[in-house]
Amino acid sequence: MSPSYSFRRSWTVPFPLARVHALLVDLERYPEWWPQVRAVASLGEDDALVVCRSALPYSLNLTLHAVRRDPTHLETTLSGDLEGVVRWYLADFGPETRMDFEQDVAATGRFLRVAASAARPLTVWNHERMMKGCLAGLHARLG
C-alpha cells in the first residue's frame, strides 16, 4: 500500500482574483516564478509533464491533467511519482484573493514510497518548503 498525504493550505494574497487565476492556469510558466517547479512540458491542451524538486535531493516526475479551470475552482489530477488530485479554490475579496489549496495523493514512485515510509516527517517538511516557494514566487511575480 502506498503512503498517502492530504495537504491543506489557505492564504489571502493582496492581488485580485483574475490575476491569481491567470497565474495558476498558466502551468507552462510555473518554472519562471515557482522555484521548486523545475520543468514543464506540454502534452496538449489539458496535459503536461512536470518535474518538481524541493529541499530534499529527489525530483518528482508527474503527469498533470487539467479537470477544471473555473475562475474560482482549479482542479488537476496527478499521475507518476504521485497519484491523486490537486485543487485550488479562489475567493474574490476585492483587491485581495483567498487561496485554498488541497492536495490528496499517494506516493507511487519507488524512491518516494520508501522515503515516505521511513521518514514521513521529512517528506511533509519538504512539501511545506515547496508551498512556501509557491507563495513567495506568487508574491514576487504579481507584486
Side-chain angles (χ1 to χ4, degrees):
M1 187 167 159
S2 297
S4 62
Y5 295 89
S6 289
F7 296 107
R8 303 290 184 268
R9 298 288 178 273
S10 293
W11 304 313
T12 299
V13 296
F15 311 108
L17 185 140
R19 291 186 65 209
V20 173
H21 180 267
L23 187 69
L24 292 176
V25 298
D26 191 3
L27 183 63
E28 288 187 70
R29 296 201 184 279
Y30 275 32
E32 296 174 9
W33 63 270
W34 192 341
Q36 293 81 8
V37 177
R38 302 299 176 97
V40 176
S42 176
L43 297 175
E45 184 177 341
D46 293 328
D47 301 291
L49 293 175
V50 177
V51 177
C52 298
R53 184 175 179 147
S54 191
L56 295 178
Y58 65 85
S59 296
L60 297 177
N61 295 294
L62 306 168
T63 301
L64 278 60
H65 175 73
V67 176
R68 291 182 70 160
R69 292 188 184 102
D70 302 339
T72 59
H73 181 187
L74 305 170
E75 186 170 326
T76 303
T77 58
L78 305 173
S79 59
D81 289 330
L82 297 173
E83 301 273 342
V85 65
V86 172
R87 295 178 195 89
W88 287 100
Y89 296 98
L90 306 177
D92 188 355
F93 290 105
E96 297 182 329
T97 300
R98 180 181 168 101
M99 304 172 65
D100 294 315
F101 172 84
E102 296 180 358
Q103 182 178 16
D104 296 301
V105 294
T108 54
R110 184 176 177 188
F111 176 80
L112 187 57
R113 278 195 326 266
V114 172
S117 297
R120 185 176 183 88
L122 277 178
T123 57
V124 171
W125 171 85
N126 199 52
H127 184 269
E128 182 62 29
R129 302 283 71 74
M130 176 130 185
M131 296 311 295
K132 286 185 179 196
C134 172
L135 184 59
L138 182 142
H139 275 272
R141 184 73 164 203
L142 295 179

